[in-house]
Amino acid sequence: MAGNSGKSRKPASSRPLEKYRGKRRAGRTPEPMGGASSKGGRRRFVIQKHSATALHYDFRLEAGGVLKSWAVPKGPSTDPRDRRLAMRTEDHPVDYLGFEGVIPPGEYGAGEVIVWDTGTYRNLAEDKGRKVPVAKGVGEGHVKVWLEGEKLRGGYAMTRTGQDGERERWIMIKLSDEGADARRNPVSTEPASVRSGRTLEELAEDDGHGKRS
């Protein structure tokens, strides 16, 4: 058994991208297979708009050498009254932060992907005055972060509420702070990528890797 402690979580964490790679075929999808690692300094986040079987937004936080990930069907809200369903998905490699392109038909998650928002974040979660690392918070079912993105800014809380088969069900809530705005609906009013300026529809018109000359 891998690891040098008796904790049951150690063996799984020794190969954190095993599930991710097991769902994808290198060479057939333009998605990164891993290799880049976390860098020092402020941690990064990305929200990718993904037109797969159903349109959704993938929320990813850099933590523990990977991207902790959730699929948010309705996308994030800036209204603290909204409770957004967020389904936990497999950890992704850090170099997925910049991924934008088209996953070919027949491959896992086939469809267009754009970088809807990205930036850095601060961990807000505390227990008895001490910070709770994000990776630990994911395991314990509660994450609280401050996002500094191009579209989203302010605090967001993620809380695990149950299980749907093998998938964890979470709720994503905007905290009441200066970034809250019940009048905004960036999911509807700001559909384009912050990386390329393209919408999903424009990306679909490009070549199979989403590149434009």
Side-chain angles (χ1 to χ4, degrees), residues 30-156:
E31 298 168 281
M33 289 295 116
S37 59
S38 296
K39 299 179 181 180
R42 293 283 292 275
R43 294 303 185 197
R44 297 163 291 175
F45 81 93
V46 68
I47 300 173
Q48 282 150 321
K49 189 175 181 180
H50 187 180
S51 179
T53 304
L55 178 67
H56 64 276
Y57 293 75
D58 292 307
F59 178 54
R60 312 190 196 282
L61 295 172
E62 182 182 12
V66 296
L67 297 179
K68 299 297 182 182
S69 302
W70 295 261
V72 186
K74 292 185 177 181
S77 174
T78 56
D79 186 346
R81 297 172 298 180
D82 291 337
R83 295 165 58 87
R84 294 292 200 234
L85 172 66
M87 299 300 294
R88 181 86 166 92
T89 60
E90 71 275 10
D91 293 343
H92 281 50
V94 171
D95 42 3
Y96 212 97
L97 279 161
F99 175 68
E100 183 167 292
V102 180
I103 303 173
E107 299 304 306
Y108 179 77
E112 296 79 31
V113 179
I114 60 171
V115 177
W116 184 78
D117 196 20
T118 191
T120 60
Y121 78 88
R122 290 186 285 113
N123 179 19
L124 300 179
E126 293 186 353
D127 182 21
K128 297 179 181 178
R130 293 187 177 184
K131 289 290 185 184
V132 178
V134 170
K136 181 179 180 182
V138 172
E140 294 178 347
H142 184 69
V143 173
K144 186 187 292 185
V145 294
W146 181 281
L147 304 182
E148 290 285 354
E150 296 188 38
K151 296 178 181 177
L152 300 182
R153 183 176 181 277
Y156 282 83

Side-chain angles (χ1 to χ4, degrees), residues 162-179:
Q163 198 91 8
D164 283 345
E166 296 183 354
R167 300 186 68 188
E168 295 177 0
R169 186 173 62 252
W170 291 58
I171 292 294
M172 181 181 193
I173 299 174
K174 176 72 190 76
L175 301 182
S176 296
D177 52 42
E178 60 264 39

Side-chain angles (χ1 to χ4, degrees), residues 13-29:
S13 65
S14 64
R15 290 189 291 178
L17 297 176
E18 183 176 15
K19 183 177 291 187
Y20 171 89
R21 292 175 179 141
K23 293 181 175 182
R24 293 161 177 84
R25 296 183 287 182
R28 298 197 181 189
T29 175

